[in-house]
Structures are given as structure tokens and as C-alpha cells.
Amino acid sequence: MVRGRISRLSVRDVRFPTSLGGHGADAMHTDPDYSAAYVVIETDAEDGIKGCGITFTLGKGTEVVVCAVNALAHHVLNKDLKDIVGDFRGFYRQLTSDGQLRWIGPEKGVVHLATAAVLNAVWDLWAKQEGKPVWKLLVDMDPRMLVSCIDFRYITDVLTEEDALEKQMLAQGYPAYTTSCAWLGYSDDTLKQLCAQALKDGWTRFKVKVGADLQDDMRRCQIIRDMIGPEKTLMMDANQRWDVPEAVEWMSKLAKFKPLWIEEPTSPDDILGHATISKALVPLGIGIATGEQCHNRVIFKQLLQAKALQFLQIDSCRLGSVNENLSVLLMAKKFEIPVCPHAGGVGLCELVQHLIIFDYISVSASLENRVCEYVDHLHEHFKYPVMIQRASYMPPKDPGYSTEMKEESVKKHQYPDGEVWKKLLPAQEN
Amino acid sequence: MVRGRISRLSVRDVRFPTSLGGHGADAMHTDPDYSAAYVVIETDAEDGIKGCGITFTLGKGTEVVVCAVNALAHHVLNKDLKDIVGDFRGFYRQLTSDGQLRWIGPEKGVVHLATAAVLNAVWDLWAKQEGKPVWKLLVDMDPRMLVSCIDFRYITDVLTEEDALEKQMLAQGYPAYTTSCAWLGYSDDTLKQLCAQALKDGWTRFKVKVGADLQDDMRRCQIIRDMIGPEKTLMMDANQRWDVPEAVEWMSKLAKFKPLWIEEPTSPDDILGHATISKALVPLGIGIATGEQCHNRVIFKQLLQAKALQFLQIDSCRLGSVNENLSVLLMAKKFEIPVCPHAGGVGLCELVQHLIIFDYISVSASLENRVCEYVDHLHEHFKYPVMIQRASYMPPKDPGYSTEMKEESVKKHQYPDGEVWKKLLPAQEN
């Protein structure tokens, strides 16, 4: 049973110096240090249960998100968890519609990332108290309760509460793909070696980063397609590098490598641009995927309305936690577009597996064209890391939202005073 | 001549407790404390000239914007001003595309507001060194130089550099409207009194806040329309309160008061929603206006492409300063949509007058359907406050971007340690 009053909220700036190895590099983010604003909330229930929530960042600026979490804290502190989840829509709106704070969003960028971190912690706390993983909490939830978690503001023209209730349906490892082989920062040799290993491990779907240099892309795509053969799936990801005409032109040249999709061909804000690109590339057999930087449900609503994408990539930390992701899953179902989540950053795989398993069991009831990103990075810092078997996510069984970090890891990577950064920072300054 | 290396950047959190008087209240922002993140940059040129830049905020969260300004500071410090303005597009992109920092935007919300504050200071510094107000610096600028300030990334499908050069044209107080009378926080008596005074002062265009309660709106609109008569212009502003169908329904009921436009009928992110509303309301004689919370040029591009608005409201602090506003002015010109800037917040009138005068002289060359918001608040804190005569903005003559604040005012209103807040905060805590 839900219990306790939120008595403490702490937030820490945790950074992993991944840029040192070229991990995670793409056409727009050349030197990411995979990082997180890590929120822990405690209650006065004296059961020792803490809610842990993160939002994913790339290093610099994490301190800004931390600052925003602190700005939101007063909405959470001294609230009964029962009251929060009893009117989760109201609580969500309180966080996102604070009359003063919403100006610096609204519902986007830093404040929305901070909102996600805070709400992710609330969901973790709730699920742990119920003794269930988040996906199971959702699957077991009374549909009315589930729908009451969603703020329908600005989306009622495509999805109403009644509508959402009808969409609730029931059905019964979720397929994954790997992005670990082909970051832009890797040499051809590293790429070949990682690809060979991934094939040995049973992976059948591979994503390659493109967009910085066409000749490089041609060479790298050729290498991968040669290695994986014509049957296995290849996805491409441009990380917003192109303008609209450029995206069409560039991808027309990469079409011969038979990519399933091109991901983030242009600005995540450009709905009509994605629609134009989609119209040009779908006849070449290439779908459009986007979402990891789409900042709220209103953008997803329009991408669906405009037929601007063929694969929808929710992000567990960019949107306002489970609550807002639920609204997007339901809209995707209505428009019959498969959801293929973004993952891979710090804790994103851990979080999003809950959403996608719920989507499969209770919303889409289908695996067709559905696949969830996987990156084999940084899982060792989590208490309940994802389990991948035969290239599939195995449903997590531990209570909560799987993002509790090992205290040891947090301490070591806290920025700028953790052991790792104390060593690295003076070296970087020289 | 441009000179000096940026040797210092400071940023302060300045808040005016406007919520105490109900000033600025609307359907979504019920208790705003008009505030600013106030940036001052200095050079080693030993001429005593400082660049002052602000971004406008509503109180809470200003500390988050301050934190983001500090996160951007290293891109500015130790740069020669000559190098910055010599490759302003490159500098702009450096600020907005930092490989780690862009994740928490990109180009939206907190980081983009911070970018605006920093770049506003750079423009102020540049113009002061040239001994010109910003609008004159722009008007006098060689078109190639002007266009080199704009980042065309993500908008080349509607506007290219060559295109922009062709749009440069030449022509020769700018009309204003007032929002000071009819904030939602005011009683009917206050409204009547302010409206009578404004009529006496020669105002002919009035804006009223709507959206919280239909009966209230009907009564308030009736009062204002009765007072100003059938000929004078009335605008309405819902501040994003409605969903799409609701906006159409609500405004159909307010149509009898003959508003020129309804401003922000729904989420600023909902381009297709604005297009739907526009389609429904234009036949009733009501135009759609939006922009004050449209977070970047990509959103404006789509609003124009989708015929989603009849009046485009740029904001000098929401977009990436002069640079990004230039791109929007040029796109608006291409689509033949009048630009009617948002203003009224701390310093917004001071800033945006430069943009709109430049627009009139060098881009649109027309006053038809064009009008700039004016709110009579907080101008006394600025060294070079706006001059309004006969309900028109008079072109500012002092060098710079008009946002240098009086040091006395900054000190008094600095949050939380200024004299005003030291008195107020303990009282608010009780």
C-alpha cells in the first residue's frame, strides 16, 4: 500500500567520462560524457524504501538540470505519496504549470528533463512500495487509474480520456537492437571487431551513425552491410545533422544499403520537415524515426497527425516520465505507428524497458516492426541492470523503475568532486 | 571600430515583485514576478564600455537561467569581440551546438533563454562601441554582413542565404498597442479606470487577457468594447489556456466583440493545432497571433508554412537574440505575414523596438496591420527607457540595445539578497 510523506529530495550531478573512448559520438554530439541528474527521494514511512530517478544528459549542463530539480523540489517535499498518485494528473500539472516556472519551458528543455528526473523517482518509489517493477504496476493498474496519470491538455483533439480507456487492451523478452558497434568516434577496425562480436552474440539488428561525411558513411555502411549480410536489419541515425533537402539527398545515396529507417534526419522540432522527408524516402523503402529529442506530447501528436514518421521513439527522460509517455503510447496506438524507444544513455535502457513491455502487453499487443534500442554501456553502475538474452530485453522482476545506482558509482562519478573527476579535471585543464 | 577581448562576464538574478499588484496575470501565469537574468560583459579595451543583456523570466526559475548563463560563459570569455562579430554565425552555432550542452535544449527552454541573454549583451556591446543604437547598426549594415549573423541551419527549405540577400530592401514612431489595462488580476473597476486613462493618453489599440472563465471574459470584453467604441482595435490573449477544439468554441463566443486577433490560443508547440484554429476563426474575422513562447526559428518556419498564424509575434529574449530574430523577420517577409512583437516583460519593450524599427526600415517597409505591444511597467529601472509618444514607439537614439539597468535597481532587486527581497521573503514565508 502507498504510504509516507516525502521528507527529503536530493539530487546529484553524476558524469561518466565516456568521451575519452569516443563512445556515443555522433554527427552533432562529438564528445559526450554520458551523465545523469540523479534524484533520490525519501519518505517518513520508516520502511527504508527510497525512490531513485534520473534524467540523462551529455556532461556539460548537468549542473543546470540539477539546479532545475532543486527549483521543482518544493512541489514534492512534504507531500503524501498517496495524494500524489491519487491525483497524479493534478500533480503532473502542478510540476509543469507552475505559474512562474513554466515560462522557462514550457514543458521542454531543462525544466522538462528535471520534471522527468523527479517523476521517475516518484514512480520508482511507488512501484517499490507496491513490490512490483514499474511495467507490472502499470499492467496491473485499473484502466481508470492509469488514464488518470495522464495530462490530456493540448492533445484532446486526437485523444480524449474516453478514447484512451477504449484503447486499453490485453495481450501477453522484447526485441532489441544494438547501437554499440558504430559510433562515429570508432575507427573502421573497431567497428569491424565490435560488429563481429555482436553477430556472435546473436544480434540481428544494427544501427550506424551517419551524417558527418558522405564518403565515410558510404564506406562504413558498406562494411557493416557486408558483415551482416542482406537479411539482417540496418538502421541509420543522423542525429539532426541535416536540413530538409539535404536529408533527402544524402539518404537517397545511402538507400542502396537498405536501411530500415533514418533516425533524426533534421531538427526534432520540424514536424513538417519530417513529413516532407518521409514522403520522399518511404518510396525508397526507408522509414523515418524520431523522438529522442522531441520535447513533449504535443510534438508527438503532430508528428502522428502529419504522417511524418514510421517509427516513434519515445524517451523515458525527455518526456515527463511514465505519465507523459503513456499519452504518447496511446496516441501511437491510435495512429498505428510502432513505438521503438530510444535508449542507451545512462539508465535509459533500464527505464524504457518498463514502458515498452507495458506497451506490448497492454497497448500495442504486437511485436511487428517493434524493437527497442540497446547500448552496452554503464549498466554496471546500476543495482538492477537490464538483462539481455538472445538480443531481447528480459522483463525486469525487481520492484521499482530499475534506476537505483550503486552508491559507490555515484560517489566516484559525482561532478566535480568524485574521485574520477578529481583526477581527470586537472589533466583536462592542462 | 570593434575592439577588445571579453575579459569578464557576470550574471545576476533580478526580480521585481509584480505579483503583489496582480500585474501581468493571465490564464496560465497567475502570479508572475517580472524578472530577468541580467548579463554584463566587459572587455580589456579600457574604454569603460560594457555590454548589458537580459532575458525575461517570471520569477521562480531565474536562478536556473543564471546557472545556464554560467554554463555558456566559457564560450564568450577571452574571445576578441572582433572575432565574434566577424563570424557571428559561427559564434552563434558554437553557443547553440555545444556537443554536450545542446542535449538539454536543443535551442529551446532554459539554455536558449540563456543564449539570448548572452547574445543580447554582445549586441549591446557592439552597438555601443559603434556609437549607434542596435536598430541603426542593423540598418546601416552591409547586407552580406547582416546575413552572416544568421544561422540558416534547419530553415534552408524556406529561406537560403541568397534568398535573404534579395529580401533586403530599403524604406523610412512605430505603432504600439497597450496591454496595461486588462490583466486577469485586475478588478472591473481597475480595468475601467485604466482604460479611461489609456484613451485619454491617445491609445487606440487595446489587449485583454481571456481564457480562465467564459462569463468573466464576456463581461470584461463588453466593458472594454463599450468604452473604446466600435472603431478602435481590440486584441485578445489566452496565454495557451485552451485545447484546439476548446479554442475554436470559446472564441466563436467572443467573436461578437470583434477582436483583431486571438493570441496564444493553445500550446506554442502545436503548429497543426494553430492551423486548425486559424482555419475556423479567420472566417469569423479573427486572426491568430502567436510567438512569445515559440522557442526557435524552426517553429516559426512551420507556423508560416502551415498558414497557422496571421500575426507573428517575435520575442527578443526567447529567440537567440538579434541573430535568430533576423531569420524570422526575413521568413515573415517571404510569407507576407506582419510581425507584431511581443513585449512588456522586463526590458522587452526596450529590446524589441530595435528589431521592429529595423524590420520597418529594411525588411517589411510597411506599417499595415503592424503594431508592437507596449506595457507601462518597470521602465524606470533602465538607463535608456523606451519613449512612447502618441501611442507610438519613438526610435531610440542612445548607442546600444537599451537594456542597461540602473545599478541601484539591480542591487535593490537582486534575488534573494537585494533590499526588496530581504524584506519580502520573510513576510512570504509566514
Side-chain angles (χ1 to χ4, degrees), chain A residues 154 240 243 269-270 301, chain B residues 154 156 240 269-270 301-302:
Chain A
Y154 302 142
Q240 313 167 27
D243 282 24
D269 300 336
D270 196 352
K301 178 185 78 168
Chain B
Y154 302 141
T156 58
Q240 312 167 28
D269 300 336
D270 196 352
K301 178 186 77 167
Q302 294 175 86

Side-chain angles (χ1 to χ4, degrees), chain A residues 307-414:
Chain A
K307 301 193 198 338
L309 82 185
Q310 285 68 47
F311 303 91
L312 187 154
Q313 303 178 300
I314 54 167
D315 183 296
S316 53
C317 293
R318 175 78 55 182
L319 294 187
S321 190
V322 177
N323 312 66
E324 195 169 25
N325 272 297
L326 288 176
S327 70
V328 177
L329 293 178
L330 290 166
M331 287 193 286
K333 166 73 184 163
K334 180 161 178 172
F335 285 87
E336 295 180 353
I337 290 291
V339 175
C340 302
H342 171 241
V346 179
L348 294 186
C349 297
E350 276 72 15
L351 287 162
V352 90
Q353 62 181 340
H354 291 271
L355 300 177
I356 202 63
I357 290 166
F358 164 74
D359 183 54
Y360 174 52
I361 298 179
S362 300
V363 184
S364 76
S366 164
L367 291 180
E368 199 189 334
N369 267 330
R370 284 166 174 85
V371 67
C372 183
E373 186 167 20
Y374 178 71
V375 182
D376 191 11
H377 266 169
L378 306 173
H379 302 293
E380 66 275 21
H381 301 296
F382 288 86
K383 254 181 150 168
Y384 315 105
V386 282
M387 282 272 293
I388 295 284
Q389 284 179 15
R390 300 174 309 280
S392 288
Y393 277 90
M394 302 314 293
K397 291 180 185 151
D398 295 297
Y401 207 177
S402 307
T403 39
E404 189 164 344
M405 293 178 89
K406 294 178 184 161
E407 183 55 29
E408 173 73 11
S409 289
V410 174
K411 271 202 185 133
K412 241 165 101 174
H413 295 90
Q414 210 171 329

